[in-house]
Amino acid sequence: MRLLTPLLCLFIAGCFNASDSKGIEITAVHSWNQGDGGYLTDLDISYTLSDVVIEALDQGVPLVFIMKIDIRDRQASWFDRGKQVKRIFRARYRPLSNIYEVETFASSSAGSTNGLERFVTKHALFGYLGKIREIPVAGSSELLPGHDYVIAANINLDIESLPLPMRPRAYLSSQWQQQSGWSEWSLNQ
């Protein structure tokens, strides 16, 4: 019982210590019509993750980042959520091979596609995650002519994807709350 009290204090202090809590920021966005009526989007993202999250990655814990892009008609009702494009990135470090990996899951109405990229350094891994390119957001048949559309994007670290023993601490710690705010811009037709 005497050992349990100091351990409990350390656990609680670790949960609420926000001194190195940082985050994710969408720094640039560009959308364009690719010519055949479909729209693509590029995003630049800055990752300044907390030391706790980086340490977990370095220990081989997979980190899942969920990116959402919403397309809404400004003239539609508030209840019309519009269309959402979602990308999931699972980053992990393989200690035995000393390699970082990113597995990408792209979901759309056409289905899911997967991709796997490998990197020698953590810097290269986050360089790749920081430049998301040519995401199809809408086809010409999905947009009504003369309507004003808004695109909003965000990305966050998915705590639900952490190994089960890590989740309670992650829920309580601001160091694990790594997310960007919503960035919003107009889609020019």
Side-chain angles (χ1 to χ4, degrees):
M1 187 67 174
R2 292 186 130 182
L3 180 61
L4 184 59
T5 303
L7 289 176
L8 184 59
C9 289
L10 284 173
F11 174 77
I12 291 171
C15 289
F16 294 106
N17 180 5
S19 62
D20 67 340
S21 182
K22 298 170 185 170
I24 303 169
E25 180 183 4
I26 297 174
T27 57
V29 178
H30 178 69
S31 294
W32 72 97
N33 186 330
Q34 64 179 348
D36 63 357
Y39 288 85
L40 300 175
T41 295
D42 289 347
L43 287 102
D44 290 343
I45 304 164
S46 171
Y47 294 86
T48 311
L49 302 176
S50 70
D51 294 338
V52 171
V53 173
I54 295 297
E55 181 183 352
L57 176 65
D58 289 341
Q59 297 298 320
V61 174
L63 301 178
V64 174
F65 297 94
I66 299 176
M67 183 183 65
K68 295 177 185 170
I69 300 175
D70 291 343
I71 300 95
R72 295 185 307 270
D73 185 347
R74 286 189 203 254
Q75 299 166 337
S77 72
W78 185 79
F79 297 104
D80 183 10
R81 296 285 305 159
K83 178 184 176 191
Q84 186 176 84
V85 176
K86 187 169 155 181
R87 288 262 170 109
I88 299 170
F89 304 95
R90 183 182 312 137
R92 77 177 327 158
Y93 174 64
R94 302 281 185 179
L96 293 176
S97 59
N98 199 25
I99 295 288
Y100 291 90
E101 296 178 343
V102 174
E103 192 171 7
T104 304
F105 304 93
S107 299
S108 67
S109 58
S112 295
T113 58
N114 296 327
L116 179 68
E117 298 288 333
R118 291 187 172 97
F119 306 94
V120 178
T121 66
K122 191 178 347 179
H123 180 73
L125 166 92
F126 285 110
Y128 174 80
L129 286 174
K131 297 205 178 296
I132 309 300
R133 298 294 182 249
E134 298 185 2
I135 301 167
V137 292
S140 60
S141 62
E142 297 175 285
L143 303 179
L144 299 171
H147 284 240
D148 188 18
Y149 288 90
V150 174
I151 299 180
N154 87 335
I155 185 163
N156 67 309
L157 175 64
D158 183 27
I159 293 174
E160 291 291 319
S161 298
L162 291 172
L164 191 56
M166 295 182 70
R167 289 184 204 166
R169 184 171 183 178
Y171 288 129
L172 296 173
S173 173
S174 62
Q175 296 177 8
W176 284 96
Q177 310 302 317
Q178 306 290 297
Q179 59 189 340
S180 72
W182 282 92
S183 295
E184 193 172 287
W185 65 100
S186 292
L187 179 65
N188 299 323
Q189 293 191 52

